[in-house]
Amino acid sequence: ATKNSAGAKRNMGGGAHWMEVSRPHAIAGEVCGFFAWIWIFYRAKEDLPVVLGMRHPWEHAEDPWQVHDHVENLDVLENEWEEFNAKATRPGEDDDDDDDDDEDEDDDDEEEDDDDE
């Protein structure tokens, strides 16, 4: 601390006055600080080997959210899907989309005629 021209000790910030906050704000600060430390510890648990050089970042750790699905009769399902895909991509006798569109247009024309009357 420095002295002013009168020789009195001068404290920066207005003296030895501590910042006072209300009780709810103090509790909110402690809660936020708690969660901040929890997050820091969690990130340390996940990334500390990388930070300490024990593992490269591109060598990913075990993924706890990885899906391990075992599908029974996978070959049968794949064959059924391939058959469906072949039928769906090949236009043929089952392709009646154009007929449905024509019928819809005719229905629209009839509705417009009914409105004019």
Side-chain angles (χ1 to χ4, degrees), residues 3-103:
K3 294 187 178 183
N4 62 9
S5 59
K9 186 176 178 182
R10 183 177 74 162
N11 292 320
M12 300 301 289
H17 176 320
W18 293 98
M19 183 172 70
E20 297 177 13
V21 294
S22 66
R23 182 78 178 136
H25 287 105
I27 292 172
E30 289 181 18
V31 168
C32 290
F34 170 78
F35 283 112
W37 279 109
I38 291 296
W39 181 79
I40 289 169
F41 290 140
Y42 170 75
R43 292 310 315 159
K45 181 185 86 133
E46 296 293 321
D47 296 336
L48 194 59
V50 174
V51 173
L52 296 178
M54 298 164 56
R55 177 174 63 84
H56 296 293
W58 55 85
E59 295 171 351
H60 296 290
E62 186 74 24
D63 184 6
W65 305 110
Q66 183 178 4
V67 177
H68 299 283
D69 287 336
H70 174 71
V71 178
E72 295 181 16
N73 301 325
L74 184 61
D75 295 335
V76 174
L77 289 174
E78 287 177 352
N79 289 335
E80 288 177 359
W81 174 253
E82 291 300 326
E83 290 174 10
F84 169 77
N85 195 22
K87 289 179 184 177
T89 57
R90 183 181 47 215
E93 296 175 7
D94 295 334
D95 185 21
D96 60 353
D97 292 340
D98 294 334
D99 297 338
D100 292 340
D101 293 340
D102 293 341
E103 290 175 9

